[in-house]
């Protein structure tokens, strides 16, 4: 199975939008809960959003609720993070993590993609 690969990061002005992707191949993608985290320089990694393997339930950090939307396309083995109304405080490296059947102990990480929001 291929590793997780994030893409879609970049430099945008405040108020702009980006769509991040977390893609893989060669696995039963539908059994993975996918979680987005982010880490800003000098700060701890923090939870951003999650979409579960069973039922596709979603969960968001309060700081992004109403601005970010997580979704998945199991046929394309990809999870998306649509980020709207971006703020400078959203600047961070964004990582996706995959948990088979929701098992954190078996978590896999992607390499990350940088998002920079200018004020």
């Amino acid at each position: 199975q291929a590793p997780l690969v994030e893409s879609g990061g970049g430099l945008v002005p405040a108020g702009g939008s980006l769509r991040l992707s977390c893609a893989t191949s060669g696995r039963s993608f539908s059994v993975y809960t996918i979680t987005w985290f982010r880490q800003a320089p000098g700060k701890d990694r923090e939870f951003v959003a999650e979409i579960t393997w069973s039922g596709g339930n979603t969960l968001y950090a309060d700081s992004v609720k109403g601005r970010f939307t997580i979704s998945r396309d199991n046929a394309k083995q990809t999870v998306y993070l649509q980020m709207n109304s971006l703020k400078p405080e959203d600047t961070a490296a964004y990582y996706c993590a995959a948990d088979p059947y929701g098992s954190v102990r078996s978590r896999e990480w992607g390499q990350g993609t940088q998002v920079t929001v200018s004020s």
Side-chain angles (χ1 to χ4, degrees):
Q1 58 191 28
L4 301 171
V5 179
E6 299 97 331
S7 62
L11 173 64
V12 293
S17 298
L18 285 174
R19 188 178 78 159
L20 305 184
S21 299
C22 172
T24 187
S25 62
R27 64 176 81 197
S28 297
F29 191 70
S30 62
V31 306
Y32 288 82
T33 288
I34 305 295
T35 307
W36 283 98
F37 294 87
R38 66 187 182 186
Q39 187 168 20
K43 296 188 177 181
D44 293 334
R45 187 171 295 187
E46 65 174 359
F47 168 82
V48 176
E50 173 183 277
I51 187 164
T52 62
W53 69 277
S54 58
N57 299 311
T58 58
L59 183 66
Y60 297 92
D62 287 343
S63 59
V64 307
K65 203 172 293 184
R67 301 188 297 121
F68 291 11
T69 302
I70 189 171
S71 61
R72 67 190 300 156
D73 185 334
N74 288 334
K76 295 183 177 180
Q77 300 193 44
T78 301
V79 164
Y80 304 99
L81 184 68
Q82 178 66 44
M83 306 188 297
N84 298 328
S85 302
L86 283 162
K87 304 175 181 180
E89 52 262 44
D90 294 317
T91 295
Y94 284 70
Y95 301 88
C96 65
D99 305 331
Y101 301 101
S103 172
V104 177
R105 286 189 296 178
S106 302
R107 173 167 287 174
E108 301 172 55
W109 290 93
Q111 86 290 346
T113 186
Q114 179 67 36
V115 171
T116 303
V117 184
S118 61
S119 56

